[in-house]
Amino acid sequence: MCLIQQNEGDVEQRRRGWARGGKLSVFCCCLACALADLSYALFAPFFPSLAVSRGVSHAAVGAVFAQPMLVMLMLTPLAPRLIQYAGCNRVLLVGMLIQSISVLAFAFIERLEEPLHFTIAALLLRSVQGGASAFFETAAGSLVMRAVPENMVGDAIGWTEAARGLGSLGGPPLGGLLFQTAGFEAPFLAAGGAMLLMNGVQLVIALSKTSTSAALLPPADASATASKASSSPWRMLQMPPIAAGAFICTCFLIAISFLDPSLQPEMKARFGMGPAQVGLLFGTLILAYILLSLVAGATASRLGSLLQLNLGI
């Protein structure tokens, strides 16, 4: 009986939080995720040719593109444990701050003349960006799912994915346009500045009494909860459905992302396309992703996740 009453209380608390300030929290978390993915994608239309002109090999250029995802793969399983100890809000704010600083710093690597120094700086900054994103985006997803009523969790996941897709869609065209009009530094200064501004907005929301974020700070027994949940990501990966889904998503991402370091030089050499035009080519792929993400959460709630996974494959 006590458990039933506690569950009913949690449901009612979710509903009150959603009506009181949860919508703003969800919107800002989705916008933060969009800016994060925009910062990843904005240099795709111009960076490969620029790096090759500096004497960087094509393999090293591909490594620069892959580095943040590799770091995210290694650190994301640790994110739930850190969130249990520190709270979603703190992880979100610190992670976004670190990522915005790394994006701003990337604007100045063009001043490095030596190919080795240029490559090392790019790899280090992309590693920091990926590491910060691993914690910050996990915290944002947790905030979104806990801010909505239970019957809207699937929809909330769709909103988050659509926001990330929107950032990936806008990144290449915006990055190519800013590079053509204002030079190498402009895309990174614009994206990093926008993330810093968004970080300030998130801080205000976290401190506001009208936001549901205050309820998401770590509870008094967070250490006990963290000790129970510390191995949960690894246990989840040992479950065949979870492992199969992760493998399928990895294959899809490999099939999509191999174009990142290779499309821009090929289009420039064969058709004389500029960075803005190449950015539009990248955007067409992401546009389909956004449109389907808007309905994917709702359809998964109705059809079932397994059936939708099989249909997608």
Side-chain angles (χ1 to χ4, degrees), residues 18 26 30 144-145 148-162 293-302:
W18 175 245
V26 169
C30 289
V144 168
M145 287 188 289
V148 301
E150 287 187 1
N151 63 330
M152 295 178 62
V153 170
D155 295 337
I157 294 174
W159 300 337
T160 306
E161 291 302 311
S293 293
L294 291 172
V295 298
T299 56
S301 299
R302 291 159 179 80

mmCIF file of all heavy atoms in Angstrom, residues 18 26 30 144-145 148-162 293-302:
data_model
loop_
_atom_site.group_PDB
_atom_site.id
_atom_site.type_symbol
_atom_site.label_atom_id
_atom_site.label_comp_id
_atom_site.label_asym_id
_atom_site.label_seq_id
_atom_site.Cartn_x
_atom_site.Cartn_y
_atom_site.Cartn_z
ATOM 1 N N TRP A 18 5.340 19.492 -14.405
ATOM 2 C CA TRP A 18 5.182 19.749 -15.838
ATOM 3 C C TRP A 18 4.346 20.995 -16.074
ATOM 4 O O TRP A 18 4.647 21.825 -16.927
ATOM 5 C CB TRP A 18 4.534 18.535 -16.496
ATOM 6 C CG TRP A 18 4.212 18.692 -17.945
ATOM 7 C CD1 TRP A 18 2.975 18.704 -18.509
ATOM 8 C CD2 TRP A 18 5.138 18.840 -19.025
ATOM 9 N NE1 TRP A 18 3.066 18.845 -19.872
ATOM 10 C CE2 TRP A 18 4.387 18.936 -20.216
ATOM 11 C CE3 TRP A 18 6.530 18.899 -19.103
ATOM 12 C CZ2 TRP A 18 4.967 19.091 -21.466
ATOM 13 C CZ3 TRP A 18 7.118 19.056 -20.344
ATOM 14 C CH2 TRP A 18 6.350 19.147 -21.509
ATOM 15 N N VAL A 26 12.311 21.494 -20.151
ATOM 16 C CA VAL A 26 12.449 20.588 -21.284
ATOM 17 C C VAL A 26 12.893 21.348 -22.519
ATOM 18 O O VAL A 26 13.785 20.907 -23.263
ATOM 19 C CB VAL A 26 11.125 19.845 -21.545
ATOM 20 C CG1 VAL A 26 11.159 19.105 -22.877
ATOM 21 C CG2 VAL A 26 10.841 18.868 -20.414
ATOM 22 N N CYS A 30 16.450 20.707 -24.452
ATOM 23 C CA CYS A 30 16.477 20.351 -25.874
ATOM 24 C C CYS A 30 17.306 21.360 -26.668
ATOM 25 O O CYS A 30 18.075 20.983 -27.566
ATOM 26 C CB CYS A 30 15.051 20.284 -26.420
ATOM 27 S SG CYS A 30 14.096 18.874 -25.838
ATOM 28 N N VAL A 144 15.029 15.828 -18.874
ATOM 29 C CA VAL A 144 13.853 15.851 -19.747
ATOM 30 C C VAL A 144 12.888 14.733 -19.381
ATOM 31 O O VAL A 144 11.675 14.946 -19.230
ATOM 32 C CB VAL A 144 14.286 15.743 -21.226
ATOM 33 C CG1 VAL A 144 13.082 15.467 -22.118
ATOM 34 C CG2 VAL A 144 14.971 17.024 -21.666
ATOM 35 N N MET A 145 13.420 13.520 -19.198
ATOM 36 C CA MET A 145 12.546 12.381 -18.928
ATOM 37 C C MET A 145 11.892 12.472 -17.555
ATOM 38 O O MET A 145 10.785 11.980 -17.359
ATOM 39 C CB MET A 145 13.341 11.083 -19.061
ATOM 40 C CG MET A 145 13.659 10.721 -20.500
ATOM 41 S SD MET A 145 14.392 9.089 -20.690
ATOM 42 C CE MET A 145 16.024 9.376 -19.998
ATOM 43 N N VAL A 148 8.751 15.318 -17.428
ATOM 44 C CA VAL A 148 7.466 15.111 -18.110
ATOM 45 C C VAL A 148 6.666 14.037 -17.391
ATOM 46 O O VAL A 148 7.230 13.204 -16.670
ATOM 47 C CB VAL A 148 7.693 14.707 -19.584
ATOM 48 C CG1 VAL A 148 8.480 15.774 -20.318
ATOM 49 C CG2 VAL A 148 8.395 13.361 -19.682
ATOM 50 N N PRO A 149 5.353 14.025 -17.564
ATOM 51 C CA PRO A 149 4.560 12.912 -17.043
ATOM 52 C C PRO A 149 4.978 11.588 -17.669
ATOM 53 O O PRO A 149 5.543 11.551 -18.760
ATOM 54 C CB PRO A 149 3.122 13.288 -17.447
ATOM 55 C CG PRO A 149 3.153 14.768 -17.636
ATOM 56 C CD PRO A 149 4.528 15.095 -18.139
ATOM 57 N N GLU A 150 4.718 10.495 -16.970
ATOM 58 C CA GLU A 150 5.205 9.192 -17.421
ATOM 59 C C GLU A 150 4.685 8.824 -18.800
ATOM 60 O O GLU A 150 5.390 8.180 -19.581
ATOM 61 C CB GLU A 150 4.813 8.105 -16.413
ATOM 62 C CG GLU A 150 5.613 8.168 -15.122
ATOM 63 C CD GLU A 150 5.330 6.984 -14.226
ATOM 64 O OE1 GLU A 150 4.519 6.112 -14.633
ATOM 65 O OE2 GLU A 150 5.898 6.922 -13.138
ATOM 66 N N ASN A 151 3.451 9.204 -19.118
ATOM 67 C CA ASN A 151 2.881 8.839 -20.413
ATOM 68 C C ASN A 151 3.470 9.657 -21.564
ATOM 69 O O ASN A 151 3.135 9.424 -22.722
ATOM 70 C CB ASN A 151 1.363 9.007 -20.396
ATOM 71 C CG ASN A 151 0.943 10.458 -20.165
ATOM 72 O OD1 ASN A 151 1.650 11.218 -19.508
ATOM 73 N ND2 ASN A 151 -0.190 10.836 -20.706
ATOM 74 N N MET A 152 4.354 10.620 -21.263
ATOM 75 C CA MET A 152 4.966 11.450 -22.300
ATOM 76 C C MET A 152 6.464 11.221 -22.424
ATOM 77 O O MET A 152 7.151 11.965 -23.126
ATOM 78 C CB MET A 152 4.704 12.938 -21.996
ATOM 79 C CG MET A 152 3.240 13.339 -22.052
ATOM 80 S SD MET A 152 3.007 15.083 -21.639
ATOM 81 C CE MET A 152 3.934 15.875 -22.947
ATOM 82 N N VAL A 153 6.991 10.189 -21.755
ATOM 83 C CA VAL A 153 8.429 9.945 -21.800
ATOM 84 C C VAL A 153 8.887 9.639 -23.217
ATOM 85 O O VAL A 153 9.912 10.144 -23.696
ATOM 86 C CB VAL A 153 8.810 8.803 -20.838
ATOM 87 C CG1 VAL A 153 10.255 8.367 -21.063
ATOM 88 C CG2 VAL A 153 8.626 9.246 -19.393
ATOM 89 N N GLY A 154 8.139 8.804 -23.935
ATOM 90 C CA GLY A 154 8.491 8.496 -25.310
ATOM 91 C C GLY A 154 8.497 9.736 -26.192
ATOM 92 O O GLY A 154 9.390 9.919 -27.029
ATOM 93 N N ASP A 155 7.489 10.594 -26.004
ATOM 94 C CA ASP A 155 7.456 11.840 -26.763
ATOM 95 C C ASP A 155 8.652 12.721 -26.421
ATOM 96 O O ASP A 155 9.242 13.366 -27.307
ATOM 97 C CB ASP A 155 6.158 12.608 -26.465
ATOM 98 C CG ASP A 155 4.931 11.861 -26.942
ATOM 99 O OD1 ASP A 155 5.072 11.015 -27.841
ATOM 100 O OD2 ASP A 155 3.845 12.119 -26.407
ATOM 101 N N ALA A 156 9.018 12.770 -25.140
ATOM 102 C CA ALA A 156 10.142 13.608 -24.719
ATOM 103 C C ALA A 156 11.450 13.145 -25.342
ATOM 104 O O ALA A 156 12.286 13.961 -25.745
ATOM 105 C CB ALA A 156 10.256 13.602 -23.192
ATOM 106 N N ILE A 157 11.632 11.817 -25.442
ATOM 107 C CA ILE A 157 12.832 11.305 -26.104
ATOM 108 C C ILE A 157 12.849 11.739 -27.567
ATOM 109 O O ILE A 157 13.885 12.122 -28.116
ATOM 110 C CB ILE A 157 12.890 9.775 -25.984
ATOM 111 C CG1 ILE A 157 13.068 9.374 -24.511
ATOM 112 C CG2 ILE A 157 14.027 9.203 -26.827
ATOM 113 C CD1 ILE A 157 12.998 7.888 -24.272
ATOM 114 N N GLY A 158 11.670 11.689 -28.208
ATOM 115 C CA GLY A 158 11.585 12.152 -29.592
ATOM 116 C C GLY A 158 11.925 13.620 -29.729
ATOM 117 O O GLY A 158 12.600 14.021 -30.684
ATOM 118 N N TRP A 159 11.468 14.440 -28.779
ATOM 119 C CA TRP A 159 11.794 15.873 -28.828
ATOM 120 C C TRP A 159 13.302 16.084 -28.712
ATOM 121 O O TRP A 159 13.884 16.918 -29.415
ATOM 122 C CB TRP A 159 11.095 16.611 -27.692
ATOM 123 C CG TRP A 159 9.609 16.511 -27.709
ATOM 124 C CD1 TRP A 159 8.813 16.235 -28.779
ATOM 125 C CD2 TRP A 159 8.739 16.660 -26.583
ATOM 126 N NE1 TRP A 159 7.496 16.210 -28.396
ATOM 127 C CE2 TRP A 159 7.412 16.473 -27.057
ATOM 128 C CE3 TRP A 159 8.931 16.943 -25.231
ATOM 129 C CZ2 TRP A 159 6.301 16.559 -26.230
ATOM 130 C CZ3 TRP A 159 7.829 17.020 -24.399
ATOM 131 C CH2 TRP A 159 6.534 16.831 -24.885
ATOM 132 N N THR A 160 13.917 15.347 -27.788
ATOM 133 C CA THR A 160 15.362 15.504 -27.598
ATOM 134 C C THR A 160 16.131 15.112 -28.852
ATOM 135 O O THR A 160 17.057 15.812 -29.282
ATOM 136 C CB THR A 160 15.830 14.643 -26.411
ATOM 137 O OG1 THR A 160 15.057 14.962 -25.255
ATOM 138 C CG2 THR A 160 17.293 14.895 -26.109
ATOM 139 N N GLU A 161 15.749 13.987 -29.454
ATOM 140 C CA GLU A 161 16.427 13.551 -30.666
ATOM 141 C C GLU A 161 16.188 14.521 -31.825
ATOM 142 O O GLU A 161 17.086 14.773 -32.635
ATOM 143 C CB GLU A 161 15.958 12.142 -31.054
ATOM 144 C CG GLU A 161 16.432 11.064 -30.095
ATOM 145 C CD GLU A 161 17.942 11.027 -29.979
ATOM 146 O OE1 GLU A 161 18.626 11.019 -31.022
ATOM 147 O OE2 GLU A 161 18.456 11.017 -28.840
ATOM 148 N N ALA A 162 14.969 15.058 -31.908
ATOM 149 C CA ALA A 162 14.686 16.044 -32.952
ATOM 150 C C ALA A 162 15.522 17.301 -32.750
ATOM 151 O O ALA A 162 16.025 17.896 -33.720
ATOM 152 C CB ALA A 162 13.201 16.392 -32.960
ATOM 153 N N SER A 293 12.218 11.864 -36.236
ATOM 154 C CA SER A 293 12.385 11.885 -34.782
ATOM 155 C C SER A 293 11.189 12.515 -34.083
ATOM 156 O O SER A 293 10.862 12.166 -32.948
ATOM 157 C CB SER A 293 13.659 12.640 -34.400
ATOM 158 O OG SER A 293 14.799 11.953 -34.832
ATOM 159 N N LEU A 294 10.529 13.457 -34.755
ATOM 160 C CA LEU A 294 9.377 14.125 -34.151
ATOM 161 C C LEU A 294 8.233 13.159 -33.876
ATOM 162 O O LEU A 294 7.432 13.374 -32.960
ATOM 163 C CB LEU A 294 8.896 15.263 -35.064
ATOM 164 C CG LEU A 294 9.839 16.463 -35.188
ATOM 165 C CD1 LEU A 294 9.339 17.418 -36.247
ATOM 166 C CD2 LEU A 294 9.966 17.172 -33.843
ATOM 167 N N VAL A 295 8.156 12.089 -34.653
ATOM 168 C CA VAL A 295 7.052 11.135 -34.478
ATOM 169 C C VAL A 295 7.538 9.787 -33.957
ATOM 170 O O VAL A 295 6.718 8.923 -33.627
ATOM 171 C CB VAL A 295 6.306 10.926 -35.816
ATOM 172 C CG1 VAL A 295 5.688 12.229 -36.277
ATOM 173 C CG2 VAL A 295 7.221 10.368 -36.885
ATOM 174 N N ALA A 296 8.865 9.585 -33.893
ATOM 175 C CA ALA A 296 9.390 8.272 -33.518
ATOM 176 C C ALA A 296 9.013 7.898 -32.091
ATOM 177 O O ALA A 296 8.644 6.751 -31.820
ATOM 178 C CB ALA A 296 10.913 8.247 -33.674
ATOM 179 N N GLY A 297 9.096 8.859 -31.162
ATOM 180 C CA GLY A 297 8.752 8.545 -29.774
ATOM 181 C C GLY A 297 7.300 8.154 -29.613
ATOM 182 O O GLY A 297 6.969 7.192 -28.917
ATOM 183 N N ALA A 298 6.410 8.885 -30.280
ATOM 184 C CA ALA A 298 4.980 8.583 -30.180
ATOM 185 C C ALA A 298 4.650 7.233 -30.815
ATOM 186 O O ALA A 298 3.880 6.443 -30.259
ATOM 187 C CB ALA A 298 4.169 9.697 -30.847
ATOM 188 N N THR A 299 5.236 6.943 -31.968
ATOM 189 C CA THR A 299 4.949 5.666 -32.628
ATOM 190 C C THR A 299 5.527 4.494 -31.846
ATOM 191 O O THR A 299 4.927 3.411 -31.800
ATOM 192 C CB THR A 299 5.501 5.664 -34.060
ATOM 193 O OG1 THR A 299 6.904 5.962 -34.024
ATOM 194 C CG2 THR A 299 4.776 6.684 -34.918
ATOM 195 N N ALA A 300 6.689 4.686 -31.213
ATOM 196 C CA ALA A 300 7.263 3.611 -30.396
ATOM 197 C C ALA A 300 6.383 3.305 -29.195
ATOM 198 O O ALA A 300 6.259 2.145 -28.782
ATOM 199 C CB ALA A 300 8.666 3.992 -29.941
ATOM 200 N N SER A 301 5.755 4.339 -28.618
ATOM 201 C CA SER A 301 4.860 4.124 -27.482
ATOM 202 C C SER A 301 3.630 3.328 -27.894
ATOM 203 O O SER A 301 3.069 2.591 -27.084
ATOM 204 C CB SER A 301 4.434 5.469 -26.888
ATOM 205 O OG SER A 301 5.559 6.182 -26.434
ATOM 206 N N ARG A 302 3.222 3.452 -29.149
ATOM 207 C CA ARG A 302 2.005 2.796 -29.610
ATOM 208 C C ARG A 302 2.277 1.459 -30.286
ATOM 209 O O ARG A 302 1.528 0.497 -30.108
ATOM 210 C CB ARG A 302 1.253 3.728 -30.568
ATOM 211 C CG ARG A 302 0.668 4.933 -29.844
ATOM 212 C CD ARG A 302 0.387 6.087 -30.793
ATOM 213 N NE ARG A 302 -0.201 7.240 -30.111
ATOM 214 C CZ ARG A 302 0.481 8.122 -29.415
ATOM 215 N NH1 ARG A 302 1.786 7.976 -29.268
ATOM 216 N NH2 ARG A 302 -0.117 9.138 -28.829
#
